[in-house]
Amino acid sequence: MTDTLPACYNVSIVNPNQFWKTDKVSKTELPILAIQIAFVAVLSCLFSTIYKPLHQTRLISQISVGFLLTPPLLGRFTPIFEFIFPVNGIVNVEVLSHIGLIYYAFLSGLEMNLNTILHMKKKPATITIVGIIFPILVAPCLYALFRKVYGHIMMFPLEESTNNTYILWTLILTVTSFPVVAHTLSELKLLYTGLGKAALTAAMIGDTYGWILFTLFVPFSTNGKGAIYTVPCTLIFILVCIFVVRPIIQWFIDRKEDKDEWNDNQLLFIIMGVLACSCISDFLGAHAIVGAFVFGLILPHGRFAELVMSISDDFVGGFLVPLFFTGTGMRLILAAIFSQQSWPFVLVIILLLCALKILSTLIVTFFFGMRIRDGLTLGLILNNKGAMALIMLNIAWDRTIFSVPTYAVITSAVLLMTVVVSPIINVVYKPRQRFEQNKLKTIQKLRVDAELRIISCVHNTRQAASMISIVECFNAMRVSPIHVFALYLVELTGRAAALVAAHIGKPSSQPGEQNLTRSQEELESIHNAFDALGEAYDAIRVETLNVVSAYTTIHEDIYHSADEKRTSLILLPFHKQLTLEGTLEVTSVVYKDINQNVMQGAPCSVGIFVDRDFGLVPKRNLHVRVVFVGGPDDREALAIAWRMAGCSGTQLSVVRILLLGEAAEADASVHDEKQGILSAVIDTEKQKELDDEYISTFRLTGVHNNDSISYSEIDVHSGEDIPAILNEIEKFGCDLYIVGQGNCRNSKVFSNLLEWCECLELGVIGDILVSNNFGSRSSVLVVQQYGYGGMNFRDNLNQKDTNNDMVESVV
């Protein structure tokens, strides 16, 4: 490395016998530290916002802050740089950043799923091992080539000793960051695809191997011959932590949780444990983060780990860690690459460094029979670098193992590997491609002897019971079985990797089960409930899955699950639930947004189930009523009801509303707008012909051959008649209404009534039936048929807010 100039400054020792030896710390040291933390935190948030469309991680934003302070940018203005990072403030920010790094390593160990690592499958394990061995063999050759190409430059000379450089250069290229991979897959909506699951498992195994290699080999590059003693002592320390300390901590925490004696103040013991393990590993000659990671790994996972991460993650990840990773960007001097004539060859070497893991993944996936596109995507995902690579870069810089050019080349390669992953995958893999039209994605067009595949989305155990009660009515038979995919929706908050790791495997009934997180407990309860459904009916198969994603984009995960499972129906829970007073009360407004997002672009038919204690209704004496107005949604609703009518003891009443006179007028204004209240305009006469044809088939085949099915028609001449007719129908009573959402009704009456609806996703009829003012005690299933476009809710939001107060007059 180039000769460095020491930066000296005077420190006045005023109180030599006290803890704070300098004077006026709050006036001299603290303001500088506060400015540095605020500068880094604010700019990191700003860069995160800028990079969000590119799906970049927080590490890239934090490194960008440091690169902003390099000489080509703000660093060229000396007064600005010295104001933010003065010489007398470097020591404090270095100490604080390393404390943050220690706790970051602790949280990384806390989020690891040991069950997945210990019970690894052959395919991801092979991909991971080959992805480590291939860079170990090729990376030293690229380093030797780099030294030969770069030459000797007086301004930026290369390091003289190369043995230690070989070790860190190679290790940096072998590691994979599990948190970054989990974030990338979640952002690209590949997390719950077959490729995503393989990448996630391989990344977790690779991250674990990365820590092992870091513990075994980094001491040889930092301690020299002393590593002969460092490595065995560190391994003994790890074994003691796992087999001696872990059972004691497990017993102590379980006892506190069983007696409900645990409180936030006792987290001080955890902080002390992190620092103690870090000090021990540092004393043994290993890096301090090794002890912190091992301590996080031995702590009991579940509710306790969730508590620790929820309390410390925001502070550690938002304020302390950015200080450390900002330093990585500050040390990146690109002039060292472009200051010599052979810089194009150096760029080629950087690209070759980026290609090592991709090539190894392509080779091994080829032998597993995977497509080249899938292998390339998997290689790109596993090429993500994270904290571990940056930590080794900083060790190499601090110990003067890397020279300025070497540091610039390997850092540029690491950043390039991580930055380009999401954009390239968006182009190559196209995870958001449009779904192919398929008539089997509707129940109306499904063959009588075909398997009915249903995705049932739930947020909690109560909704799971509701969904089970409605699925039981779908008349599962050996000729026409039902395959139910129970999808437990979990909101992604905090560290993506922690939640994803917790939900990679299903919770098992083993010792320590009481330490499951809330979401894991919910998943286990939902899993048991749906398993009981599968055991009760021979013709029903059940799979319980979970989706961990941000609520704003979770509908895309539902799309991909429905497309991958080839389902014909997505069942969604209504965002209101029944209270003891018999009224519907909002559970979460976010659930409503999810339902609307799903309905706008679902790859199959969608049903929203409004549960009014439907599980208490005896299924052998069930009364179902269909209010049929017309359109594809109503035909799909009738198809579902017709299937339910096959169950013994089920009575089906179909009431068709015939629009006549003023009520039959088409909404001409819809034709003048590309997007309006109704997002899909279909020829009225054509739809009426399809309605008549389907009704005729239903009456001929269903009504005439089954005494439990009845059919009637009611004439409607104006919009005011519809609520009155529904009130008359309600007097006869029923257990379940099945109605179409009515998105494609080209009717002026329904377009006008839709403006007054409180819940647009239910349509006019559904909104009236669900309204508390209507007074019905019947459950409601609102259906939207696939193939005619989803409803556009955005254009109605402003109108809906102004009209909510007048809904009562309509009902």
Side-chain angles (χ1 to χ4, degrees), residues 526-539:
I526 293 168
H527 176 70
N528 294 336
F530 277 94
D531 271 0
L533 173 67
E535 293 173 0
Y537 296 89
D538 294 336

Side-chain angles (χ1 to χ4, degrees), residues 370-620:
M370 294 178 63
R371 294 179 300 177
I372 295 179
R373 188 185 68 166
D374 292 343
L376 176 62
T377 304
L378 188 59
L380 284 168
I381 293 172
L382 296 179
N383 213 20
N384 272 303
K385 306 299 179 186
M388 176 63 70
L390 299 179
I391 291 169
M392 287 190 281
L393 281 170
N394 282 275
I395 292 174
W397 179 274
D398 294 337
R399 302 298 180 95
T400 65
I401 297 173
F402 282 177
S403 62
V404 174
T406 304
Y407 182 89
V409 168
I410 193 67
T411 304
S412 300
V414 167
L415 295 180
L416 184 61
M417 293 176 197
T418 307
V419 169
V420 303
V421 171
S422 296
I424 292 179
I425 291 178
N426 267 326
V427 174
V428 174
Y429 201 76
K430 298 181 180 179
R432 293 180 178 84
Q433 61 186 347
R434 294 182 61 86
F435 304 105
E436 296 179 359
Q437 295 283 330
N438 190 334
K439 66 180 181 180
L440 295 181
K441 295 183 178 181
T442 68
I443 294 181
Q444 181 189 353
K445 299 296 184 181
L446 194 67
R447 297 194 316 271
V448 178
D449 59 344
E451 181 183 58
L452 173 60
R453 291 171 165 253
I454 300 174
I455 278 188
S456 178
C457 299
V458 296
H459 300 275
N460 50 55
T461 308
R462 177 173 178 175
Q463 292 177 355
S466 300
M467 290 298 176
I468 290 172
S469 65
I470 190 67
V471 169
E472 286 179 322
C473 301
F474 273 81
N475 189 25
M477 301 178 294
R478 292 185 181 276
V479 179
S480 179
I482 298 177
H483 196 165
V484 181
F485 301 93
L487 215 61
Y488 174 41
L489 308 181
V490 183
E491 183 180 12
L492 177 61
T493 56
R495 291 169 72 93
L499 264 177
V500 170
H503 287 272
I504 285 180
K506 295 177 182 176
S508 57
S509 301
Q510 295 177 352
E513 185 177 343
Q514 68 274 14
N515 285 322
L516 298 177
T517 64
R518 295 186 191 91
S519 59
Q520 286 176 322
E521 288 177 345
E522 287 276 10
L523 175 60
E524 187 176 36
S525 299
I526 293 168
H527 176 70
N528 294 336
F530 277 94
D531 271 0
L533 173 67
E535 293 173 0
Y537 296 89
D538 294 336
I540 296 181
R541 288 194 300 158
V542 174
E543 289 185 37
T544 306
L545 311 169
N546 57 284
V547 170
V548 182
S549 182
Y551 274 163
T552 52
T553 59
I554 202 169
H555 59 280
E556 296 183 27
D557 295 282
I558 298 174
Y559 292 167
H560 288 286
S561 297
D563 188 59
E564 187 177 26
K565 304 300 182 183
R566 304 188 308 279
T567 57
S568 300
L569 180 66
I570 298 174
L571 285 177
L572 300 170
F574 192 47
H575 70 279
K576 296 182 181 181
Q577 66 183 20
L578 193 68
T579 62
L580 296 175
E581 293 76 20
T583 60
L584 290 172
E585 191 176 70
V586 175
T587 306
S588 175
V589 179
V590 181
Y591 299 167
K592 179 180 181 178
D593 297 334
I594 294 173
N595 292 348
Q596 291 185 351
N597 289 335
V598 171
M599 295 185 77
Q600 289 189 61
C604 63
S605 295
V606 181
I608 296 180
F609 181 53
V610 184
D611 181 28
R612 287 192 173 110
D613 285 338
F614 188 66
L616 302 178
V617 177
K619 299 302 183 288
R620 294 189 176 276

Side-chain angles (χ1 to χ4, degrees), residues 688-707:
K688 191 174 183 304
E689 291 177 7
L690 293 174
D691 293 338
D692 292 338
E693 180 183 350
Y694 195 62
I695 287 291
S696 298
T697 304
F698 168 73
R699 295 180 67 179
L700 180 63
T701 309
V703 179
H704 292 168
N705 297 330
N706 195 334
D707 295 336

Side-chain angles (χ1 to χ4, degrees), residues 100-365:
L101 182 65
I102 288 171
Y103 281 99
Y104 183 87
F106 163 69
L107 294 178
S108 298
L110 199 60
E111 71 188 6
M112 282 292 184
N113 191 332
L114 282 178
N115 290 329
T116 302
I117 298 169
L118 296 176
H119 300 89
M120 64 182 71
K121 295 181 179 179
K122 178 181 178 181
K123 183 176 178 180
T126 305
I127 293 172
T128 302
I129 294 172
V130 174
I132 292 174
I133 294 176
F134 188 76
I136 288 177
L137 297 176
V138 180
C141 301
L142 291 178
Y143 175 68
L145 180 63
F146 161 70
R147 289 184 64 87
K148 185 174 182 180
V149 167
Y150 191 83
H152 298 281
I153 298 179
M154 296 300 297
M155 184 181 297
F156 299 110
L158 294 174
E159 56 276 341
E160 296 179 2
S161 176
T162 59
N163 293 331
N164 295 335
T165 309
Y166 274 118
I167 295 175
L168 286 178
W169 174 284
T170 303
L171 290 179
I172 289 171
L173 295 175
T174 60
V175 296
T176 297
S177 174
F178 171 71
V180 176
V181 168
H183 174 273
T184 302
L185 292 173
S186 178
E187 287 289 319
L188 296 175
K189 298 304 171 189
L190 292 173
L191 199 56
Y192 299 99
T193 62
L195 180 70
K197 292 176 182 177
L200 200 64
T201 306
M204 180 175 286
I205 298 170
D207 206 353
T208 305
Y209 287 160
W211 280 98
I212 295 173
L213 294 174
F214 180 87
T215 304
L216 294 178
F217 292 103
V218 168
F220 285 97
S221 63
T222 57
N223 300 337
K225 296 181 179 180
I228 299 175
Y229 306 101
T230 298
V231 173
C233 292
T234 304
L235 293 177
I236 294 173
F237 165 70
I238 294 173
L239 293 176
V240 170
C241 287
I242 293 175
F243 295 105
V244 179
V245 180
R246 184 184 184 188
I248 298 174
I249 295 177
Q250 178 79 51
W251 171 83
F252 176 76
I253 293 177
D254 286 348
R255 186 171 65 88
K256 289 289 184 181
E257 290 188 342
D258 291 339
K259 296 181 179 180
D260 200 19
E261 296 177 353
W262 188 266
N263 57 63
D264 295 349
N265 295 329
Q266 292 174 340
L267 287 176
L268 179 63
F269 293 106
I270 302 302
I271 297 174
M272 293 171 60
V274 175
L275 293 177
C277 288
S278 299
C279 289
I280 292 173
S281 64
D282 187 61
F283 174 77
L284 295 175
H287 200 281
I289 64 172
V290 174
F293 177 80
V294 171
F295 187 71
L297 200 63
I298 66 173
L299 285 181
H301 292 58
R303 287 196 303 267
F304 174 76
E306 187 179 43
L307 172 67
V308 174
M309 283 188 287
S310 64
I311 292 175
S312 57
D313 181 50
D314 289 338
F315 180 70
V316 173
F319 294 98
L320 298 185
V321 172
L323 293 174
F324 181 84
F325 294 128
T326 298
T328 303
M330 293 173 63
R331 295 161 179 155
L332 179 57
I333 302 175
L334 294 180
I337 298 177
F338 297 100
S339 61
Q340 38 81 38
Q341 295 180 350
S342 60
W343 64 265
F345 297 100
V346 176
L347 292 182
V348 172
I349 292 175
I350 292 175
L351 294 177
L352 291 175
L353 293 174
C354 297
L356 293 182
K357 195 172 282 282
I358 298 175
L359 289 175
S360 63
T361 306
L362 275 172
I363 294 171
V364 72
T365 53

